Amino acid sequence: MTWLAFALSLLAFACFGFATDDHHHRLTGRRLAPDSKLRWQAYAWFALMGAFGTAVASRGWAFGPVLWLGAVMLSAGIVFLSLNLRPQRGRGTRQ
């Protein structure tokens, strides 16, 4: 259950990143529609709520929120680094 909380929080921040216009355009090559943006954000919030529920179910109310916060912070860092430090497609390589 701990890994499920981490996976759901990772999915949530990936959805938040995909809901951003710049990241969506870099990953897909097209602009994001406003209704699609709201849909991606809703998916992300549902995944965060699911991660919280699984963390509490896994560790109880004493340590579940602590586990959730740790998973959220680690997931946010991983997604941030992977979206911002990844080489962009379509550009030539430096020599």
Side-chain angles (χ1 to χ4, degrees):
M1 284 282 245
T2 301
W3 287 104
L4 182 60
F6 174 69
L8 283 173
S9 61
L10 192 64
L11 175 69
F13 280 99
C15 287
F16 277 135
F18 208 67
T20 307
D21 291 327
D22 184 44
H23 294 305
H24 187 85
H25 181 65
R26 280 196 302 158
L27 293 172
T28 63
R30 57 184 182 178
R31 290 288 168 198
L32 185 62
D35 61 336
S36 181
K37 183 181 210 175
L38 290 174
R39 194 175 321 122
W40 280 108
Q41 289 174 347
Y43 294 155
W45 282 111
F46 283 127
L48 275 179
M49 287 188 292
F52 183 78
T54 56
V56 169
S58 173
R59 301 292 176 173
W61 280 102
F63 293 106
V66 176
L67 169 68
W68 180 74
L69 283 174
V72 164
M73 287 189 290
L74 182 62
S75 299
I78 289 171
V79 170
F80 174 81
L81 290 174
S82 66
L83 287 176
N84 291 313
L85 297 180
R86 140 186 199 283
Q88 293 195 13
R89 280 190 282 169
R91 291 189 178 184
T93 59
R94 294 169 83 189
Q95 301 226 359

